[in-house]
Amino acid sequence: MGRKQHLHHAPKNIDIGVITVSTTRTADDDKSGLWIKKQAKKEGHRVARYCIVSDSREHIVRAVADSVSGHGLHALILTGGTGMGFSDVTIEAVSPLFDKKMNAFSTLFTQLSFEKIDSAALLSRAAAGIVGKTAVFCLPGSLDACKLACNELIFPEIKHIAAHLIT
C-alpha cells in the first residue's frame, strides 16, 4: 500500500500523549510540553494525555507503559532527559520498550539540528520507535528542538505512521 492509500485509511484525528521528563518543570513552566500540546491541537489532533515525570528510569517506563496501554494513543511524544548528563535517561528507559525502531528519525533529527546549531547537534539525542500500536518519539527538552522535530518530522508524517499501525 502506498503513502496515498495509507493516508486514505488514516484516522482523521490523531490521539497524542505528551510526557515531559524533568525534575524541575511544572505544568506552569513546561514550555516544551505545553508547546507540543498547543501545536498538536492546532494541527487538529487530540491530546489525550499529558504528564510530567521525574528523570527516573522507573517513572519514565511506568508513564510510557500507562500511556500506550491505557489511553489508546496513536503517538506519544516525550520531551526531556535526552542529553548527555548522568540523569538524562529517557533514551535508556524507552529504547528497550520499542517493538520496532524508527532509526531514520534520529538521523533526520540530527541532520536538521546540525543545520540549526552546527556541531552542538552531536550532544543531542533523539529516538523513535513503536511500542504496541503507538509511535513513540523521544525529543530533547529544548523548545527549539521540540519545534524542529514536531514541525519538520512528526506532524507531517503522523497520520501516515498511524495508518501503518492500525492496518
Side-chain angles (χ1 to χ4, degrees):
M1 196 180 308
R3 185 175 194 275
K4 270 188 176 179
Q5 291 168 314
H6 280 119
L7 289 174
H8 178 71
H9 296 290
K12 300 290 183 228
N13 297 56
I14 302 296
D15 289 332
I16 293 177
V18 178
I19 298 175
T20 296
V21 178
S22 175
T23 53
T24 60
R25 296 282 177 234
T26 67
D28 293 327
D29 66 1
D30 176 19
K31 290 180 183 176
S32 295
L34 294 174
W35 181 88
I36 294 168
K37 283 177 54 178
K38 181 180 174 182
Q39 190 65 22
K41 290 176 185 176
K42 190 175 179 181
E43 295 275 339
H45 307 307
R46 186 173 81 90
V47 178
R49 176 159 169 75
Y50 168 72
C51 66
I52 299 173
V53 300
S54 66
D55 290 295
S56 152
R57 285 183 197 216
E58 295 81 23
H59 291 138
I60 296 166
V61 168
R62 191 174 321 124
V64 170
D66 178 56
S67 296
V68 301
S69 67
H71 296 278
L73 302 176
H74 297 102
L76 178 62
I77 302 172
L78 289 86
T79 174
T82 64
M84 302 300 284
F86 182 72
S87 66
D88 294 320
V89 296
T90 298
I91 304 299
E92 291 74 18
V94 177
S95 290
L97 303 176
F98 290 155
D99 296 311
K100 292 186 178 195
K101 291 183 180 179
M102 285 190 270
N103 295 326
F105 178 79
S106 179
T107 302
L108 290 169
F109 178 77
T110 301
Q111 178 184 346
L112 290 169
S113 295
F114 181 75
E115 292 170 9
K116 300 275 185 195
I117 62 172
D118 296 320
S119 61
L122 181 67
L123 302 174
S124 181
R125 300 185 305 151
I130 307 302
V131 178
K133 292 190 174 272
T134 304
V136 178
F137 301 90
C138 302
L139 310 179
S142 108
L143 181 58
D144 286 342
C146 289
K147 287 179 177 182
L148 181 68
C150 288
N151 289 334
E152 299 296 326
L153 298 171
I154 298 171
F155 292 141
E157 288 300 321
I158 197 63
K159 287 185 179 184
H160 187 195
I161 294 167
H164 276 278
L165 299 177
I166 61 173
T167 58

